[in-house]
Amino acid sequence: MLEPVWEPLSSYRSYPPEQMTARAKSFHAELRRRRTVRDFDSRPVPRGVVETCLLAAGTAPSGANLQPWHFAVIENPAAKKRIRIAAEAEEQAFYSGRAPKEWLEALAPLGTDADKPFLEEAPLLIAIFAQKSGTRPDGRTVKHYYVPESVGIATGFLIAALHDAGLATLTHTPSPMGFLNEICSRPAWEKPTILLVVGYPKADCRVPHHGGLRKNLEEISSWV
């Protein structure tokens, strides 16, 4: 077993309460601007921006710090077309009988259906894979722990980083999505969890009005 290496916490910053409040409000306001987008412009995204956002996602906490994730970025038009064909086949099965009535009723206000043109129109897709195990620097295979939780946190970091950089995203989850392993050349023991659509919104992009759908503080939290 490798012995842990400890170092001083030199990166931590403390702020006076009033500055903490201002920073918290600023961050909240920034994330409130984030909207899920389904109409994407095709103009390219700077690769360096996306790579920096991926590095930000890689700073997320994970079980035993084993970082059980892989982000496969797809920009090749032929690969995106293959993904769209495979995803729409699964979506057609979903909307035509696989989905429970209650699920379809919940989706109805959004007007979604089996047609997913954004999978080809957006400049980038990021397939996010969860790794059940990994290889240590010494060649040993180790089991990963808290994989769904770790990958979920990293995905949240990635979405926030992309938004902060000025990009729009859409979380797409065709089920099942094992076809992504073949298209992205990932091993079978990695499980695709989310297909993140990334790019700029079209100039005439429209999104659902939040109205009363956003839960307030009392609905999403409690103090014990």
Side-chain angles (χ1 to χ4, degrees), residues 31 34-36 53 56-57 71 126 128 152-171 194 196-198:
L31 288 190
R34 190 209 64 80
R35 299 298 302 272
T36 293
C53 291
F71 304 97
I126 302 178
I128 303 172
I153 295 169
T155 300
F157 274 36
L158 178 57
I159 292 171
L162 291 166
H163 165 74
D164 192 58
L167 294 170
T169 58
L170 165 68
T171 52
I194 289 178
L196 192 64
V197 187
V198 181

Side-chain angles (χ1 to χ4, degrees), residues 2 65-67 134-142 144:
L2 296 176
N65 194 31
L66 293 175
Q67 304 156 53
T135 304
R136 302 292 284 177
D138 60 5
R140 291 182 300 115
T141 297
V142 294
H144 288 162

Side-chain angles (χ1 to χ4, degrees), residues 70-182:
H70 181 85
F71 304 97
V73 184
I74 304 108
E75 59 179 353
N76 180 276
K80 288 194 295 181
K81 184 175 183 64
R82 288 180 62 195
I83 289 173
R84 179 182 179 182
I85 292 172
E88 287 185 340
E90 298 296 348
E91 292 289 287
Q92 186 61 47
F94 171 85
Y95 281 97
S96 62
R98 186 187 295 163
K101 178 183 177 183
E102 294 80 6
W103 196 344
L104 293 178
E105 289 176 348
L107 290 172
L110 300 178
T112 59
D113 55 29
D115 189 27
K116 309 297 179 185
F118 50 75
L119 294 176
E120 284 191 272
E121 294 172 349
L124 292 179
L125 307 176
I126 302 178
I128 303 172
F129 291 85
Q131 301 174 328
K132 297 179 181 179
S133 61
T135 304
R136 302 292 284 177
D138 60 5
R140 291 182 300 115
T141 297
V142 294
K143 179 182 177 181
H144 288 162
Y145 301 93
Y146 300 105
V147 174
E149 296 87 346
S150 301
V151 175
I153 295 169
T155 300
F157 274 36
L158 178 57
I159 292 171
L162 291 166
H163 165 74
D164 192 58
L167 294 170
T169 58
L170 165 68
T171 52
H172 183 48
T173 53
S175 180
M177 52 179 134
F179 58 85
L180 288 171
N181 292 74
E182 177 187 354

Side-chain angles (χ1 to χ4, degrees), residues 7-109:
E7 62 183 7
L9 180 58
S10 59
S11 59
Y12 174 74
R13 296 180 183 177
S14 179
Y15 305 98
E18 62 275 11
Q19 192 173 353
M20 292 172 67
T21 299
R23 290 175 64 89
K25 288 183 176 180
S26 176
F27 189 69
H28 171 229
E30 180 61 31
L31 288 190
R32 273 187 64 89
R33 293 196 309 104
R34 190 209 64 80
R35 299 298 302 272
T36 293
V37 167
R38 290 180 172 81
D39 297 311
F40 286 87
D41 192 273
S42 60
R43 60 186 166 123
V45 170
R47 177 168 178 161
V49 171
V50 176
E51 290 179 338
T52 302
C53 291
L54 291 172
L55 288 172
T59 69
S62 61
N65 194 31
L66 293 175
Q67 304 156 53
W69 46 65
H70 181 85
F71 304 97
V73 184
I74 304 108
E75 59 179 353
N76 180 276
K80 288 194 295 181
K81 184 175 183 64
R82 288 180 62 195
I83 289 173
R84 179 182 179 182
I85 292 172
E88 287 185 340
E90 298 296 348
E91 292 289 287
Q92 186 61 47
F94 171 85
Y95 281 97
S96 62
R98 186 187 295 163
K101 178 183 177 183
E102 294 80 6
W103 196 344
L104 293 178
E105 289 176 348
L107 290 172

